[in-house]
Each structure stands twice: as C-alpha cells, then as structure tokens.
Amino acid sequence: MRIYVRICFYNELILILERRFIMNLNELNKERLALIERLKKRMEFLNLKVDENSLTEIERVNANLYYPLKEVEIESFRKADGNELETKAAKVNSSAALLLNVFTPLRRGEKITLQGFGEFNSYELEKQLQVLNGNGKKANIDMLLENKKIIIYIESKFTELFYYRKKAPTSSTYQDMRKYPNKEIYQAAIQFIDKYQLYDANQLIKHTIGIYRDCLNNPDRYIGKKVYLLNLNWELITSDKDLKESYKLQLEALQEGTDFIGRFNKVMKNCFKKIGIDFKFIYINYYDFYTRIMRFKKTDHILYNYLKQRYFLLQRRG
C-alpha cells in the first residue's frame, strides 16, 4: 500500500512539474513576442519601419542596418552556413545585424580602438574553421579582428540568453576522441560538452576546438599573439511584468555562464599553452562593450543615438 501511494505521489508530482514547464514555455513565447514588438516600436520611433514585402533580400537586411552591406560582406554571408541573408539578418532581433550595427565605424573603413586590445582597421565576417576531423560542419564565427599582437574571434548573441529553456545537445561524434585534432583538446573539451542547458556553451566549445585546430595548422599566424574568443551578448535588464520569465531565465543562464567561464578558461588556457598559444575566453554584454571598450577618434552622435534608441534603452546600466 505504501509503495502504491508513493508511486501515485511521484506520478502526480511529475504531472505538476510538466504543467509548470508547459506554462513557463507558453509564458516565454508570449514574452518573446512582446519583446519583438518593443524592438519594432524602437524602429518606428527612428522612422525605420519598412514594407518587407516590397523589398529584395538584400534590401530587407539593409533596412535593418545603419550602414548598408558591402559586397565583401554579402559574399561572406553567402559562403556561410547560417542563411543569415535569407531568413535571419532582416529580423529586429538579429544578432548579426546587431554586430554589424555596433561595428559600423570599422565597416565604414574607420580605425577603431578596443580598450585593452589595441587598434583594428580590418575585419572578416563568418570566419569558417574546421572543428572535427573529416568533412563535418565547420564553425562559423561571426567576426574576426586581428592586429600585430592580438586575434579576436567574436560570437554575437541577441535574445539567445533567454530564448531557450534547454539548448540542443551535440552529436555523438563529439564524444569520439578520434574525431579531434589531438588527445589534449579532446580531454579539455569533453569536460564541458553537453554539461550546460541554458548558456550556449556547446557552440563556444566548438568554436574553441576550431581555433585550436587552426593554431596547429597555421602556427606562424598565431605564435606570439594573444588569442581571444569573445562572446558578445545583449542582455535584458528590465524585469517588467511582460518580460518577467525571460529575465528570470536570463539570470539562470548567466549563472551557468559564470560557472562555465571560470572553469573553461582554466582548462583551455593550459591546453593552448602546451602548443605555445596564449588563449582566453571573454564574455561582455553589448552595452558595456560599446560604452566602455570601443573607442573612436571622433564620436558619431547620430550613430550613437541610433544604437541607443534601438538596443540600449532596454539594456542600459543604472
């Protein structure tokens, strides 16, 4: 009798948890739509509302950018795997458009300074790096910056921190040591793969494996330089009623991220050090990056207002 009662109790508990999970998902879906509406209203405030049905593929993306796409950028997107031009970069919550807008001065041919990293006057979009052995899917890293002393790989995220309750697991090939460049990077990466549900650590691990492989294949490019993988994230800082669950989910993701960053850096720094490379993973939110890290010889106040109105009113500090 006791066993029967206990089984009934656990079954009821599972049903309650499942209902709560579904309710949370429904609430999150509502909040995502609410946030997208907010972002669209910011576009309307800037008189940037457009009739998407009347535009070509590139025109729709350009309508989402402060500075239009250049031919070399279009070519980079077409070669990549993300279908950015076809489906993503025209959306108001596009992480690619956010990255392009924040880096407008560099895209216009101006030199920029990143505090602590130095000056940069060129960039590459959608840098592809082989991850595992064979002909599998390559890493597509959003942006690459490089000067004489530093290489920075940048992965841009917009609403991803609070968009999914659980990240998709990696394929079984990532459990196979024979698929990796060597035993050392396998032993380092396997400690983190599929260990995080909210913070998208798996993608960043894949990028790191790709960077490690490229260091092995092209040592002359990397030796003597500091190598960074920079995760730029837009953070929601309002806990308004219509975004309450999203904000809560973001806090949970950031807690996971904090744990990941500390442990990941310690393990990967040692792994890269064995091949003579100084590697570090860094997380920065977009607002802090733009206001505290990016430096320009001359401030473009119109661009600053555009970025503030579109992105930073929902992400300001203080």
Side-chain angles (χ1 to χ4, degrees):
M1 183 66 179
R2 287 182 179 176
I3 294 173
Y4 174 76
V5 171
R6 191 173 295 171
I7 291 171
C8 289
F9 171 76
Y10 283 128
N11 285 339
E12 185 66 26
L13 181 61
I14 289 169
L15 284 172
I16 292 170
L17 291 174
E18 284 178 346
R19 287 193 200 106
R20 285 182 181 175
F21 180 74
I22 292 169
M23 286 174 63
N24 281 342
L25 281 181
N26 290 336
E27 195 60 38
L28 282 169
N29 285 331
K30 288 180 188 175
E31 291 185 8
R32 286 169 195 148
L33 294 174
L35 177 60
I36 287 171
E37 285 306 308
R38 284 197 187 197
L39 292 169
K40 284 181 178 178
K41 285 179 181 177
R42 302 315 306 165
M43 293 282 282
E44 291 172 16
F45 178 80
L46 292 165
N47 294 318
L48 295 174
K49 186 178 180 181
V50 293
D51 180 8
E52 293 186 0
N53 296 321
S54 67
L55 301 175
T56 66
E57 178 182 275
I58 301 301
E59 286 172 339
R60 282 197 295 273
V61 176
N62 282 338
N64 204 24
L65 299 176
Y66 182 85
Y67 184 77
L69 287 169
K70 301 189 292 188
E71 283 302 319
V72 65
E73 294 172 333
I74 294 171
E75 188 64 25
S76 294
F77 281 123
R78 294 212 190 281
K79 288 179 180 177
D81 301 323
N83 297 320
E84 290 289 349
L85 298 181
E86 292 85 350
T87 59
K88 298 177 184 177
K91 294 181 178 180
V92 290
N93 61 329
S94 163
S95 58
L98 172 58
L99 180 73
L100 292 171
N101 282 328
V102 167
F103 278 91
T104 292
L106 184 62
R107 295 178 56 234
R108 289 189 303 206
E110 301 167 26
K111 188 182 292 185
I112 66 167
T113 299
L114 301 182
Q115 191 169 314
F117 300 96
E119 290 187 344
F120 299 88
N121 56 18
S122 64
Y123 65 99
E124 186 177 342
L125 294 179
E126 297 295 327
K127 178 65 177 178
Q128 291 192 314
L129 296 175
Q130 184 181 348
V131 182
L132 299 180
N133 297 336
N135 297 316
K137 190 176 180 181
K138 293 183 178 180
N140 291 268
I141 306 180
D142 294 325
M143 181 178 276
L144 169 65
L145 304 177
E146 185 173 357
N147 60 29
K148 292 180 179 180
K149 296 181 179 179
I150 287 174
I151 295 175
I152 306 175
Y153 289 94
I154 300 176
E155 181 60 32
S156 172
K157 298 294 180 188
F158 199 153
T159 56
E160 287 87 346
L161 269 180
F162 48 90
Y163 213 83
Y164 304 104
R165 172 56 66 176
K166 187 176 181 180
K167 299 293 187 287
T170 58
S171 69
S172 59
T173 53
Y174 282 88
Q175 306 296 325
D176 186 352
M177 187 175 73
R178 296 169 298 176
K179 296 290 185 180
Y180 285 73
N182 59 31
K183 181 180 177 181
E184 285 71 27
I185 189 63
Y186 165 79
Q187 290 178 332
I190 203 66
Q191 298 179 47
F192 304 96
I193 288 175
D194 294 335
K195 299 296 192 297
Y196 298 87
Q197 293 190 347
L198 303 177
Y199 185 70
D200 197 2
N202 282 345
Q203 185 188 38
L204 298 164
I205 296 162
K206 293 174 186 177
H207 288 354
T208 304
I209 298 167
I211 294 168
Y212 182 89
R213 181 187 290 277
D214 205 48
C215 290
L216 290 175
N217 293 342
N218 302 289
D220 291 344
R221 180 182 184 182
Y222 292 92
I223 296 296
K225 291 186 177 182
K226 290 187 176 181
V227 181
Y228 295 93
L229 174 56
L230 172 60
N231 185 200
L232 274 179
N233 260 289
W234 187 88
E235 290 179 11
L236 185 68
I237 69 145
T238 175
S239 55
D240 293 348
K241 217 173 186 180
D242 63 337
L243 297 171
K244 184 174 68 174
E245 289 301 317
S246 298
Y247 185 72
K248 192 171 15 173
L249 182 58
Q250 177 183 268
L251 289 179
E252 293 175 31
L254 287 172
Q255 285 174 349
E256 278 197 358
T258 301
D259 175 77
F260 169 75
I261 293 163
R263 294 177 56 236
F264 188 70
N265 261 328
K266 185 176 180 180
V267 171
M268 286 300 172
K269 189 172 184 66
N270 289 334
C271 185
F272 275 80
K273 189 176 181 180
K274 290 176 183 177
I275 60 171
I277 304 297
D278 186 358
F279 173 84
K280 187 175 184 180
F281 172 75
I282 298 176
Y283 174 100
I284 306 176
N285 74 68
Y286 261 107
Y287 180 81
D288 288 344
F289 179 78
Y290 187 76
T291 59
R292 300 179 183 181
I293 305 297
M294 293 191 86
R295 295 287 180 267
F296 315 102
K297 285 188 175 179
K298 187 177 180 181
T299 301
D300 183 337
H301 294 286
I302 298 174
L303 170 62
Y304 176 74
N305 185 62
Y306 172 92
L307 293 173
K308 184 176 78 169
Q309 295 295 336
R310 273 203 69 178
Y311 302 117
F312 298 147
L313 286 182
L314 286 171
Q315 204 211 350
R316 63 188 185 280
R317 287 280 184 261

